[in-house]
């Protein structure tokens, strides 16, 4: 099996962190457990929303009720058990659809996804808008044959970043954690980028964190799926 592997490490300077901290006040965000069902992030009436359904197609509920088009400007996804701190592996998926002129904000925080047996993408990006994917803690995604680890075929942009500590707090000179991501594509899929059938991708950038992207057979680490390319 032939595959391409690309590992990147991007570190922000203390000066940049100081500026970011001064202009971006921390905001509370709900944390969604991916082991309970598939998660979809989209927009309704110009508001970012999140929906989660279990394997039977029912809406997942928490202490706020059913998670169905719930307004949430910063969706945090995890598979870490809140009681035991064990990071479990989910066979559910994440879909992010950023409509034109919208900006989706999603955080992976200690998330492990393996859908290698389902012929699906662990994380799929769609829409003409912007998607910001924050990395907190250690995150691993594995997709099924024909799909990229993080799949993006839409004309919008995807920015993978690491602007917060692993616990979601703002970085400082005294505390500056590095978020990690390993993205594995299935046969014909990129690690991050195009699938086997929709090989080309565009608008992918990485501004922070440690990112390792492994393409499946014929797929790039970051870029196109089999016989495809990255267009930026």
């Amino acid at each position: 099996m032939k595959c391409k592997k690309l590992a990147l490490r991007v570190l922000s300077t203390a000066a940049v962190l100081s500026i970011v901290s001064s202009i971006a006040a921390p905001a509370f965000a709900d944390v969604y457990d991916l082991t309970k069902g598939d998660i979809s992030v989209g927009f309704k009436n110009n508001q970012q929303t999140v929906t989660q359904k279990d394997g039977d197609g029912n809406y997942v509920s928490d202490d706020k009720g059913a998670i169905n088009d719930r307004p949430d400007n910063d969706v945090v996804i995890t598979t870490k058990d809140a009681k035991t701190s064990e990071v479990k592996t989910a066979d559910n998926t994440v879909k992010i659809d950023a409509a034109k002129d919208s900006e989706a904000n999603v955080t992976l925080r200690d998330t492990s996804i393996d859908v290698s047996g389902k012929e699906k993408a662990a994380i799929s990006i769609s829409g003409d808008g912007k998607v910001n994917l924050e990395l907190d803690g250690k995150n691993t995604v594995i997709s099924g044959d024909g799909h990229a680890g993080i799949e993006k075929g839409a004309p919008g942009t995807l920015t993978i970043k690491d602007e917060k500590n692993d616990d979601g707090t703002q970085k400082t000179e005294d505390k500056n954690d590095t978020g990690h991501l390993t993205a594995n594509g299935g046969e014909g899929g990129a690690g991050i980028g195009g699938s086997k059938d929709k090989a080309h991708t565009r608008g992918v950038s990485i501004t922070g964190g440690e990112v390792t992207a492994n393409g499946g057979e014929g797929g790039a680490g970051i870029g196109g799926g089999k016989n495809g390319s990255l267009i930026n």
Side-chain angles (χ1 to χ4, degrees):
M1 176 180 288
K2 296 180 180 179
C3 66
K4 296 182 180 179
K5 179 176 180 178
L6 181 62
L8 299 175
R9 179 181 174 90
V10 184
L11 298 179
S12 300
T13 65
V16 172
L17 291 173
S18 177
I19 294 172
V20 170
S21 296
S22 66
I23 63 175
F28 175 79
D30 288 336
V31 178
Y32 301 91
D33 184 352
L34 188 63
T35 65
K36 296 180 179 180
D38 296 335
I39 292 176
S40 299
V41 178
F43 284 82
K44 188 173 183 179
N45 299 324
N46 297 319
Q47 166 69 56
Q48 179 173 299
T49 62
V50 58
T51 297
Q52 186 171 22
K53 290 185 177 182
D54 62 21
D56 295 323
N58 300 313
Y59 294 114
V60 175
S61 294
D62 58 13
D63 57 355
K64 293 183 178 180
I67 305 172
N68 177 22
D69 284 335
R70 176 181 295 176
D72 193 328
N73 291 325
D74 185 8
V75 174
V76 180
I77 297 170
T78 190
T79 60
K80 185 175 182 178
D81 190 289
K83 295 181 179 179
T84 67
S85 295
E86 175 190 0
V87 178
K88 300 180 179 180
T89 298
D91 61 355
N92 299 312
T93 63
V94 177
K95 295 182 179 180
I96 306 170
D97 184 11
K100 185 178 180 181
D101 300 324
S102 65
E103 187 167 355
N105 294 291
V106 176
T107 295
L108 296 181
R109 181 176 297 162
D110 293 314
T111 301
S112 177
I113 308 172
D114 186 348
V115 291
S116 56
K118 290 189 172 184
E119 296 187 354
K120 293 182 177 181
I123 300 176
S124 57
I125 309 292
S126 60
D128 295 340
K130 300 177 181 179
V131 174
N132 299 314
L133 188 64
E134 165 74 17
L135 304 178
D136 295 349
K138 294 184 178 180
N139 305 281
T140 301
V141 299
I142 305 172
S143 290
D145 286 348
H147 294 279
I150 297 180
E151 190 165 293
K152 182 186 178 301
T157 63
L158 167 64
T159 301
I160 298 173
K161 61 182 185 176
D162 179 23
E163 296 180 354
K164 298 179 182 179
N165 289 309
D166 292 348
D167 59 4
T169 59
Q170 292 294 331
K171 294 188 178 186
T172 65
E173 292 184 4
D174 296 328
K175 184 174 176 60
N176 185 3
D177 297 333
T178 299
H180 297 75
L181 171 67
T182 300
N184 299 315
E187 187 274 328
I192 301 172
S195 65
K196 181 178 180 180
D197 294 331
K198 296 181 179 179
H200 297 291
T201 194
R202 66 175 66 216
V204 177
S205 60
I206 299 172
T207 63
E210 288 192 10
V211 179
T212 301
N214 304 308
E217 182 177 0
I222 298 176
K226 191 173 183 179
N227 301 319
S229 61
L230 173 65
I231 306 170
N232 270 342

